[in-house]
Amino acid sequence: MKYFFIPILMCVAMGATASEYRVVNKFSNITSATQERIENIEALAEQERKKSEELSRLAASLGPDDTDVSEYFKGSNTKNSKWTYKRSKDVVERTTATEATIKSNNSYNLGIGQGGNQSLYITIYNEHDTGFYNDEIFIGYMEGLVEVCFGSCYMRARFDDEDEASWYRLDHLSSHHYKITGVYDEKMFDGKKLKNDDYFLLKLHNSKSLVLKFPNFNGQTYTYAFDLKGLDAKKLGPK
């Protein structure tokens, strides 16, 4: 700012007219506005730098490949299973997919604005011919404005054959729909480190039950229970 006063002081010292003073003052205002724009640009650049660093950290947490965990699937008795299956075709992309979905044993009344009485659903989305069953795993509600988070958040879950619960990261897809993110953390099986979504699929197939705490935008969590027995890999369609 000190540099902006130099032209003004020079005009005063040289006996400048009021008109000339206004010109210099206008120049100073323009220079000040330009400086403000530069500072704004620098602030935006700093934000972009931080975003880039965050993306780099995320990329570092992602492994180069998914794991075909179906080789670890145990035999499953599909009688009286609560899993349902639906196949769909995308005529534009020329792809076929199968969805395997299970509904929670319990439900909560979340209020009129959030769809009323809500059960939680888990869906395995298998796009055929990719080499993997779990192209994506969705979790959420069938309807309603049930915003859990607007970016990423976490849920706590424990399968019946686990001693401790684990954290799973959720990525926002819609107002009531989330995806289990395929990042690496502490999930291990048979000495092999697995991504969250790969590990979750393996446990969905091999475990008998699941309990989880699903977050809500108001800070509450709701505990849902699932009877997982009988997931039929054959009905998931080709990998």
Side-chain angles (χ1 to χ4, degrees), residues 118-130:
Q118 292 272 32
S119 299
L120 195 67
Y121 293 82
I122 298 172
T123 296
I124 303 166
Y125 181 81
N126 171 37
E127 185 176 310
H128 299 179
D129 304 320
T130 63

Side-chain angles (χ1 to χ4, degrees), residues 87-105:
R87 180 172 293 195
S88 60
K89 289 185 177 181
D90 187 325
V91 295
V92 176
E93 303 297 339
R94 294 183 177 179
T95 58
T96 304
T98 299
E99 295 180 9
T101 301
I102 192 164
K103 177 183 175 182
S104 63
N105 301 337

Side-chain angles (χ1 to χ4, degrees), residues 214-230:
F214 201 65
N216 193 280
F217 77 99
N218 59 9
Q220 289 183 289
T221 59
Y222 295 93
T223 300
Y224 289 95
F226 294 83
D227 181 359
L228 301 176
K229 296 186 296 292

Side-chain angles (χ1 to χ4, degrees), residues 54-210:
E54 178 63 25
L55 289 173
S56 296
R57 284 193 291 270
L58 177 59
S61 70
L62 297 172
D65 299 301
D66 284 303
T67 301
D68 180 11
V69 294
S70 63
E71 62 181 280
Y72 303 120
F73 282 178
K74 298 178 181 177
S76 179
N77 183 359
T78 60
K79 187 177 180 180
N80 299 323
S81 171
K82 294 185 177 181
W83 288 93
T84 61
Y85 307 86
K86 182 179 71 173
R87 180 172 293 195
S88 60
K89 289 185 177 181
D90 187 325
V91 295
V92 176
E93 303 297 339
R94 294 183 177 179
T95 58
T96 304
T98 299
E99 295 180 9
T101 301
I102 192 164
K103 177 183 175 182
S104 63
N105 301 337
N106 59 318
S107 61
Y108 290 93
N109 188 346
L110 303 182
I112 296 175
Q114 298 186 63
N117 202 52
Q118 292 272 32
S119 299
L120 195 67
Y121 293 82
I122 298 172
T123 296
I124 303 166
Y125 181 81
N126 171 37
E127 185 176 310
H128 299 179
D129 304 320
T130 63
F132 305 95
Y133 280 129
N134 59 318
D135 293 293
E136 289 180 305
I137 298 180
F138 304 127
I139 185 166
Y141 303 100
M142 284 297 182
E143 59 184 2
L145 298 174
V146 193
E147 296 287 2
V148 174
C149 53
F150 292 103
S152 296
C153 51
Y154 293 83
M155 72 173 183
R156 193 84 169 146
R158 183 178 62 80
F159 292 90
D160 66 282
D161 52 356
E162 293 179 324
D163 294 327
E164 297 181 357
S166 299
W167 290 106
Y168 292 88
R169 175 174 156 178
L170 306 175
D171 281 352
H172 179 274
L173 293 177
S174 71
S175 63
H176 54 275
H177 213 194
Y178 301 83
K179 180 175 73 172
I180 296 179
T181 313
V183 296
Y184 282 111
D185 46 34
E186 80 283 358
K187 309 297 189 304
M188 300 285 295
F189 182 83
D190 196 27
K192 185 179 181 65
K193 194 173 185 179
L194 298 177
K195 290 182 180 179
N196 277 353
D197 55 345
D198 293 329
Y199 180 86
F200 202 81
L201 171 64
L202 177 62
K203 303 305 289 185
L204 288 177
H205 188 279
N206 289 352
S207 302
K208 296 178 181 179
S209 62
L210 166 68

